[in-house]
Amino acid sequence: MCYSEGHPVRLIGGRLALDFVNTADWTADGHIAHEKLRSLADLTLWLEAVNLDSKPLDSLANLIRYRASLRQVLLSGGDPSSLNAVQALCFEDASSDPITRRQPLQALLAASAVSLLADSREHERIKMCPGENCGWLFIDETKNGRRTWCSMESCGNRAKAARHYARKKNRAPARV
């Protein structure tokens, strides 16, 4: 299953809210480096990958704004104001009708985020991949808590290859 640009749908976050935030690649300063949800078809593919109803009721533009806000809240910390911020995110829509303001997908994502923020053990294990223009969030569920990369298949291997290249480039030529 791939997005319209051919990138595979990868679910590495470990929780629904994290996997949704990971539908974009992020720069170190929190801007989007690469958008994966470029169309409703891309959103439908992601929904199918996470086994949710593939008929989104939320507009794509609202969901992308919501995703950025949700990411900020997840990175901000697990204090009570973060929980309030997630709940407030469900009601940011301009509509005044409370029934239509709370969109189904946003409500599911908020519930996932609240469960992450409410449990300090969960929240303490949220990590951000240091890969260049990745910035994906994930739960480090390793016993020793030392997972660094979103996945070794992508960012981890690129970092290892870059270190190897740098060592090889800086190595003095052998004298004969």
Side-chain angles (χ1 to χ4, degrees), residues 149 152 154-167:
W149 308 103
M152 281 306 293
S154 59
C155 292
N157 280 342
R158 278 192 291 261
K160 285 171 60 176
R163 283 193 308 267
H164 173 75
Y165 177 76
R167 280 193 308 269

Side-chain angles (χ1 to χ4, degrees), residues 81-98:
S81 65
S82 297
L83 296 173
N84 293 336
V86 170
Q87 292 168 340
L89 286 175
C90 285
F91 298 99
E92 280 187 343
D93 193 294
S95 171
S96 61
D97 179 6

Side-chain angles (χ1 to χ4, degrees), residues 61-81:
N62 284 344
L63 284 171
I64 288 175
R65 278 192 301 277
Y66 181 78
R67 180 186 61 199
S69 299
L70 185 61
R71 184 175 190 271
Q72 285 181 319
V73 169
L74 288 167
L75 290 173
S76 68
D79 59 20
S81 65

